[in-house]
Amino acid sequence: PGPAASRWSVNFEGFDDYVQLPALSSIQSISLWLWIDPQQLRNPVYLVAGKSALTGRKKSRRLLNELVFFSSVGVGSMWANLFVDGARALIEWDSLPKERWAHVHLEAAAQFDDELTLMSDWTNSPVSVTGNLRGLLTEVYVWSRELTPYELEGMYQGWNGRANDGSLLAYYNMEEG
């Protein structure tokens, strides 16, 4: 299967393209459909990068920006689970398919607040970076909870992912403008 909206997507050429999401609270997981070009022009690249993630309540809030990233050079310890096409995968870059549409779902170990970038070379990351991710991105979902295996399989099979329980914090249907 492919994304329901695969005819609409944003093309990332690997130079200065990225998506900056607005500040969101209580992020627990992120789902997206992407196609990664196997011929990256430059490495390392970031699929997800946090800017100033905070977790916890009041006095116990702590800065986690070095923990909220998923890149070709490493994965921040904030991520607890990775699912690719509805199935659990090792939390590493090599788990992401190249040169085909893939449904990717990342779950955090705890809820956090942040402004996330997608497909970037996030310069505030703990790792020195030199380029952006090259490929296509279509649907992006940000959740305040983990998804069930049934929901993950459903999204992979074409369910639009819109939950009625208020856990969907944001939905973005990407298309060239």
Side-chain angles (χ1 to χ4, degrees), residues 18-115:
Y18 64 92
V19 173
Q20 175 71 57
L21 301 182
L24 295 169
S25 298
S26 303
I27 299 168
Q28 181 77 47
S29 59
I30 301 166
S31 302
L32 46 90
W33 279 98
L34 76 145
W35 186 93
I36 298 175
D37 188 326
Q39 303 299 316
Q40 288 291 305
L41 294 179
R42 296 182 275 174
N43 274 328
V45 291
Y46 280 64
L47 175 60
V48 177
K51 184 175 183 180
S52 58
L54 296 170
T55 188
R57 300 282 180 234
K58 298 179 183 173
K59 294 181 183 177
S60 65
R61 292 175 79 91
R62 56 192 175 116
L63 189 63
L64 295 173
N65 63 317
E66 72 277 4
L67 305 179
V68 182
F69 67 94
F70 190 94
S71 76
S72 61
V73 293
V75 178
S77 61
M78 188 65 173
W79 300 114
N81 295 302
L82 170 66
F83 296 86
V84 176
D85 298 337
R88 186 180 302 272
L90 293 175
I91 305 174
E92 60 187 28
W93 186 257
D94 289 340
S95 293
L96 300 179
K98 313 301 185 283
E99 205 168 15
R100 72 170 180 84
W101 281 108
H103 178 259
V104 175
H105 180 78
L106 280 163
E107 293 180 343
Q111 287 186 338
F112 63 95
D113 306 339
D114 205 345
E115 297 174 48

Side-chain angles (χ1 to χ4, degrees), residues 125-144:
S125 72
V127 184
S128 172
V129 294
T130 58
N132 294 40
L133 186 56
R134 184 174 175 168
L136 302 169
L137 180 66
T138 185
E139 297 174 329
V140 177
Y141 300 82
V142 182
W143 304 90
S144 64

